[in-house]
Every structure is written in C-alpha cells, then in structure tokens.
C-alpha cells in the first residue's frame, strides 16, 4: 500500500459542493487541496440537475424573507431556520461568484436574468441555463475553474473508508484505477459525495450515486440524521433509460398539466414535490397503472425554451406538441445525511460534509425545488472558511444543535446503532457471492426498496423490505468496486428503513399510509450517533 503527499484538505466528490470548496481552498484560502472522485471530474449528480438555482437576484416582488418562508413551508417543520437564513442570504453572492467564473444563465429582454417560478416558490426566483440544463452548465464552469486551480486531482479513484487515527479523520483509503489500495492523507476531509438515488429502481441520479460518503461516515461513527426523507421527483419520464430523464419543474411553471388516465387533473401542479409525488402515487395505485401523464401540449416554442428536454423526448419518440408525456415519480434527492453545523463540521474531528451528503438542516423533511445547487454553493465554501479560521469541531448551530442540545431549533431523538455492511469486514457465516451475482442482487435490492420504502410506506412494506436488506447484509462479499457500492447502499438502506419505521407519522417526503397525519410530537430529528 503506497501513500501520497499530505494535504490540508482532501475533497471527496466533484459535484457543486466539492468543486466549490476546492476552488475556494486553492484560490482564496491558500490551502493545499485535492479532489478525489470515482468517475471523471464532470460526472457528478450536479451534471444531471435540470432544475435551476433558486436565489433572490433583484426582483422587486421577491426578498430573502420570502425565500426563507417558502423553504420553511416546504420543510414541514424540520428545517433549521438559521441554516435556511444562511442559505438564502449568502446564496445570491455565491451565484454571482459562479457567474464570474463563467457560468452562463438564461437571460431575457435587456439582458436581465430570466427568473422562473417552480413548485413551492411564491414568486419567480429560479435561474436556468439552456432551459433545463442548469446542472450541466454549473458543472462545466466549476470543472474548468478547478482544472485551472492548484488542486490535485484523482479521477477514477474509489474511496473505500475514512482513516481514523486517535479519534480524528486523517484521510482515506482508496482504490486507484490500477486496482491498488492506497492512502491519501489530509488534515481535513470534506465529504461532498452526493446522495444515494441508486437505493431505488427508478432514479434521476447517475449510477455513481451510491451513498459512499454517508456510508463511510457511518462506519467511522459520525452522527447521521433525517435519513427517512428521500424526495421523489414527480415528473420523471417513464422510460427504460436510467437515470430517468427529468421533465423539469419549469414545464409546470410554464403551464404544463398533470393528468390521470381519465385525462383529469388531480393536484395543483405548483405544489411542493412531496405533495405532487404523493398525489401521483395514490392516483397510480387507485388506477392500477405504472405512470400518469404530463400534458405540455399548450406550451409554445417548446424546443426553443427547453432544448435538452426536447432532445430527450425526441429520442424516446415523443412530440410534446401533440403527445401527453408518460411520467412517474423517481428517487431524486436525500434530504438527510451526515449531521453538520453551519460550518459543515461533523461529530468526527477533521471530517466535514457539504451538499447532498450532509444534513445541514436547510431542507428539513422536504427540499424546496432548486435549493440543492444553492445549498452546495453556500455551505461548501463555509467549510473552507472555517478551516482557514482554525475551527476544529462542531458548534451547536444548524442541524447539529439538535444533537448538542442547543435551544431554539428542532430537537433530536436518538436511534440505536445500526450495523453497517462492508466488504472489508464480511460476515463469516454469510453466504458467499461472486462478482457475477452483483448486478442481479443490486436490481432485486432496488426493487425491494422501491416497493417497500418508496413514495408511500407502511409498517408492513418497510418490514418486508428490511427482511431482504438484512439478509443481504449478512453476505460475504467480493472486494471489487461493484461490491463496495452495493455494500454502501445496503448500509444506507438499513438506516433509511429504521428511520422510516421509527417515524410513525407522515411529514414532508416521508408518507406512512398507516399513519397519514403529521404528529406534533414527532417534530424532531432522528439521529444515529
């Protein structure tokens, strides 16, 4: 096992959070920084984001107070108000920094930014790029900036586990592209590894979204929270392609309608995503169908306004001018993750988290549309700024206040320890599987999670899913990347299922058909320590 030079900061992940942090470290803070990513630098979940960036940028009808209120409303009582305030107040500045790096957003008459309205927003405040290719444009600008910075890059490397020495994170153990296991050492490690859409059979996330960073943090003993809140995007194209092509929220913002198989509307199209997905899942179950319809036939100049979506539809043989578009909810965003304070500090010294891998408290029980890119832009640079100031541990702020007992925020309910699945520590009594078995096992696992822990859940469905997951967790694994990814997914599935079983109410993106009401007694953050 060989080692590499010591760094001030090692960033894991190359999405909006990871790259924003790397740029800040290399160009503004004078820290030695490296970025490790398991695919190419540009192959991150950020790239697939069709929605926009929500920020208050000069509209007379808007204010950060309104953005705050919309976010709190969508979060169903579990947002940390200080985290949301930080995000909406600092967001406009971060967007302008991104524009200065070369990101090009859509503009209207007079060259002004073309702000649009999306579900859950009280006014138009969402920027887009090329209609529905915002993530790709954000990723392009950040990748170019990182390649021009002083950051060291490790592309095609797979982080296996965090190095914990004397109670402190000291780097990672990783698989290099040549298959050798190596150590990368740093004073500080930032988890910006994204979410875990691959928990489910239908997702808008790329194949790389297997929750590796959160699983590593769980094995290292870091506190996790809000794992039950998985947001399903309501309007993913019902199509064999994976990740599922998104039919952006912007379509509904422009007037596209949701229809059932009788052609009837059944929900306000501009409701928050959890409301729309829940209504769709219920109507699909009632009608016994696998998809519903998005009617965009009334939208003018579709191909001009939404060229990326138009190209996806054309490849699927669909014409939005005349065809209703088949849609079904698909796993999209994990609102929980590694518990952090407002600086991104976790409960493990030297370990930080930002973006979808983190639970900052900004999203609560359900993320407001187009707040995810904004969250990464805001909180990842705060990590670097905190490291530069010499901060070395969490404060009772943001979501972390729930664990540290600070007043004024959402309280915590502590859950018992969850045994993690890891190929490096196989169960000696488990059934040995081969690499050839992994694709089928992963597919069976994803289908079980979709059926048991999807948009609509119950004690019975969760129990059935948990039985299959626990059986898989007792397996003796091969030690290649595919097995590592599946083991990480199994770890997250156990955490999600236990949280969803414990939360006996419906709130935000967590809907229990056997407990359909929101219970004030459950206005608490479920925390694994």
């Amino acid at each position: 096992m060989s080692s590499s030079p010591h760094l001030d900061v090692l960033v894991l992940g190359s999405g909006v959070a990871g790259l924003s942090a790397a740029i800040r470290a290399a160009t503004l803070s004078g820290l030695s920084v490296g970025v490790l990513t398991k695919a190419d630098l540009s192959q991150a979940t950020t790239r697939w984001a069709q929605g926009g960036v929500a920020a208050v940028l000069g509209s007379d009808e808007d204010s950060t107070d309104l953005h705050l209120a919309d976010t709190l409303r969508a979060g169903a009582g579990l947002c940390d108000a200080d985290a949301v305030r930080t995000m909406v107040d600092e967001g406009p500045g971060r967007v302008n920094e991104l524009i200065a790096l070369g990101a090009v957003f859509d503009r209207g008459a007079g060259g002004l930014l073309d702000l649009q309205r999306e579900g859950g927003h009280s006014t138009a405040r969402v920027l887009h790029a090329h209609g529905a290719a915002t993530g790709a444009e954000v990723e392009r600008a950040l990748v170019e900036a990182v390649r021009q910075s002083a950051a060291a890059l490790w592309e095609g490397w797979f982080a296996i586990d965090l190095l914990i020495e004397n109670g402190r994170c000291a780097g990672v153990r990783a698989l290099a592209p040549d298959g050798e296991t190596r150590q990368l050492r740093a004073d500080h490690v930032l988890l910006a590894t994204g979410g875990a859409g691959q928990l489910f059979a239908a997702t808008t996330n790329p194949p790389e979204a297997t929750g590796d960073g959160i699983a590593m943090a769980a094995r290292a003993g870091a506190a996790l929270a809000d794992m039950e809140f998985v947001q399903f995007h309501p309007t993913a194209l019902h199509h064999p392609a994976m990740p599922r092509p998104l039919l952006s929220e912007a379509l509904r913002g422009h007037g596209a309608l949701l229809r059932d198989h009788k052609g009837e509307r059944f929900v306000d199209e501009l409701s928050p995503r959890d409301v729309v997905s829940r209504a769709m899942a219920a109507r699909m179950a009632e009608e016994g169908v696998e998809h519903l319809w998005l009617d965009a036939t009334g939208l003018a100049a579709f191909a001009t306004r939404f060229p990326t979506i138009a190209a996806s539809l054309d490849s699927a043989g669909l014409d939005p001018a005349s065809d209703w578009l088949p849609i079904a909810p698909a796993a999209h965003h994990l609102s929980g993750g590694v518990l952090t304070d407002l600086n991104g500090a976790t409960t493990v010294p030297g370990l930080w988290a930002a973006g979808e891998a983190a639970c900052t408290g900004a999203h609560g029980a359900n993320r407001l549309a187009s707040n995810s890119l904004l969250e990464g832009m805001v909180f990842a640079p705060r990590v670097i700024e905190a490291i530069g100031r010499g901060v070395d541990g969490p404060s009772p702020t943001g979501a972390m206040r729930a664990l540290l007992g600070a007043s004024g925020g959402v309280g915590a309910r502590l859950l018992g320890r969850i045994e993690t699945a890891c190929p490096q520590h196989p169960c000696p009594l488990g059934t040995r599987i081969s690499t050839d078995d992994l694709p089928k096992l992963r597919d069976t696992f994803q289908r079980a999670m979709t059926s048991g822990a999807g948009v609509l859940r119950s004690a019975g469905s969760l129990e059935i899913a948990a039985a299959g997951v626990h059986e898989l967790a007792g397996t003796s694994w091969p030690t290649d990347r595919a097995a590592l990814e599946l083991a990480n997914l199994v770890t997250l599935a156990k955490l999600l299922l236990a949280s969803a079983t414990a939360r006996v109410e419906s709130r935000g993106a967590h809907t229990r058909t056997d407990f359909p009401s929101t219970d004030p007694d459950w206005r608490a953050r479920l925390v694994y320590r």
Side-chain angles (χ1 to χ4, degrees):
M1 180 184 295
S2 59
S3 60
S4 296
H6 197 95
L7 296 166
D8 293 322
V9 183
L10 175 61
V11 176
L12 305 182
S14 61
V16 62
L19 298 186
S20 294
I23 292 167
R24 181 59 56 103
T27 61
L28 298 178
S29 300
L31 299 170
S32 60
V33 60
V35 177
L36 180 150
T37 180
K38 66 180 181 178
D40 294 336
L41 199 63
S42 61
Q43 185 67 21
T45 303
T46 293
R47 176 187 168 199
W48 300 91
Q50 283 191 350
V53 182
V56 178
L57 292 163
S59 169
D60 292 337
E61 298 178 358
D62 202 6
S63 69
T64 54
D65 286 344
L66 274 177
H67 193 180
L68 173 81
D70 290 345
T71 301
L72 294 176
R73 189 180 307 112
L78 288 191
C79 291
D80 181 88
D82 289 345
V84 179
R85 172 58 73 186
T86 298
M87 181 176 68
V88 302
D89 282 355
E90 297 184 10
R94 300 303 192 206
V95 170
N96 285 324
E97 289 173 2
L98 186 62
I99 292 173
L101 286 176
V104 179
F105 293 101
D106 296 342
R107 295 181 181 270
L112 297 177
L113 289 168
D114 184 17
L115 302 176
Q116 300 295 331
R117 185 181 176 193
E118 292 185 354
H121 290 272
S122 57
T123 189
R125 66 168 68 95
V126 181
L127 298 88
H128 295 93
H130 312 297
T134 311
E137 176 60 18
V138 169
E139 186 77 2
R140 181 201 62 77
L142 291 173
V143 166
E144 288 186 5
V146 166
R147 292 199 185 280
Q148 294 171 11
S149 74
L153 303 177
W154 290 277
E155 297 179 75
W157 287 58
F158 185 89
I160 300 171
D161 261 321
L162 300 169
L163 297 175
I164 305 296
E165 298 175 355
N166 300 317
R168 182 181 184 84
C169 186
V172 298
R173 204 159 48 85
L175 283 176
D178 62 7
E180 182 181 353
T181 300
R182 300 178 184 172
Q183 289 185 2
L184 300 177
R185 304 185 70 85
D187 292 333
H188 302 273
V189 173
L190 170 58
L191 293 175
T193 48
Q198 291 294 323
L199 282 166
F200 299 92
T203 179
T204 64
N205 293 184
E208 291 81 9
T210 51
D212 307 314
I214 303 173
M216 287 191 292
R219 291 193 288 272
L224 312 176
D226 293 354
M227 295 298 295
E228 66 271 38
F229 298 114
V230 178
Q231 182 181 83
F232 285 74
H233 197 293
T235 53
L237 188 67
H238 184 68
H239 188 271
M242 198 66 65
R244 287 286 168 86
L246 269 178
L247 302 185
S248 169
E249 202 121 16
L251 298 181
R252 283 175 282 144
H254 281 280
L257 304 175
L258 292 167
R259 299 189 186 276
D260 63 14
H261 279 256
K262 298 177 183 177
E264 297 176 354
R265 295 174 64 191
F266 56 92
V267 68
D268 180 354
E269 285 82 4
L270 292 180
S271 296
R273 288 174 177 173
D274 64 315
V275 175
V276 179
S277 290
R278 189 161 50 246
M280 289 180 63
R283 186 57 60 100
M284 288 161 61
E286 178 185 321
E287 294 188 337
V289 296
E290 293 185 351
H291 70 83
L292 298 174
W293 303 100
L294 183 68
D295 176 6
T297 57
L299 274 59
F302 190 102
T304 301
R305 295 161 82 179
F306 306 103
T308 304
I309 299 176
S312 294
L313 294 175
D314 184 64
S315 66
L318 294 168
D319 180 359
S322 57
D323 298 326
W324 289 0
L325 311 174
I327 53 169
H332 187 58
H333 188 90
L334 178 63
S335 291
V338 184
L339 191 66
T340 73
D341 66 5
L342 292 182
N343 291 322
T346 75
T347 56
V348 175
L351 181 65
W352 308 74
E356 194 174 352
C359 177
T360 64
H363 300 316
N366 179 57
R367 176 178 67 89
L368 180 65
S370 291
N371 270 354
S372 58
L373 293 176
L374 186 73
E375 183 196 29
M377 291 179 196
V378 168
F379 286 99
R382 288 179 67 89
V383 171
I384 302 304
E385 291 165 0
I387 292 172
R389 296 195 306 270
V391 174
D392 193 33
S395 63
T397 61
M400 185 65 74
R401 81 170 80 220
L403 183 62
L404 299 187
S407 60
V410 177
R413 292 194 183 194
L414 300 182
L415 299 181
R417 178 177 174 82
I418 296 293
E419 294 299 324
T420 58
C422 179
Q424 304 304 304
H425 306 287
C427 173
L429 300 179
T431 303
R432 180 71 184 177
I433 61 173
S434 71
T435 300
D436 293 340
D437 298 325
L438 290 172
K440 182 178 180 180
L441 282 174
R442 182 159 160 168
D443 180 70
T444 300
F445 162 83
Q446 291 171 325
R447 291 179 183 277
M449 286 296 293
T450 299
S451 175
V455 177
L456 303 179
R457 307 161 174 178
S458 68
S461 73
L462 292 166
E463 183 178 1
I464 293 171
V469 168
H470 281 279
E471 181 179 351
L472 192 56
T475 298
S476 182
W477 305 79
T479 54
D480 59 10
R481 173 172 156 172
L484 288 161
E485 289 182 324
L486 183 53
N488 288 336
L489 286 170
V490 168
T491 290
L492 265 63
K494 295 177 73 173
L495 294 163
L496 188 160
L497 291 166
S499 296
T501 299
R503 185 174 289 281
V504 288
E505 66 159 355
S506 291
R507 183 184 294 270
H510 169 71
T511 300
R512 288 280 298 264
T513 57
D514 47 352
F515 294 95
S517 300
T518 300
D519 185 344
D521 290 341
W522 280 93
R523 186 178 176 268
R525 223 174 284 290
L526 300 187
V527 178
Y528 294 98
R529 181 68 189 271

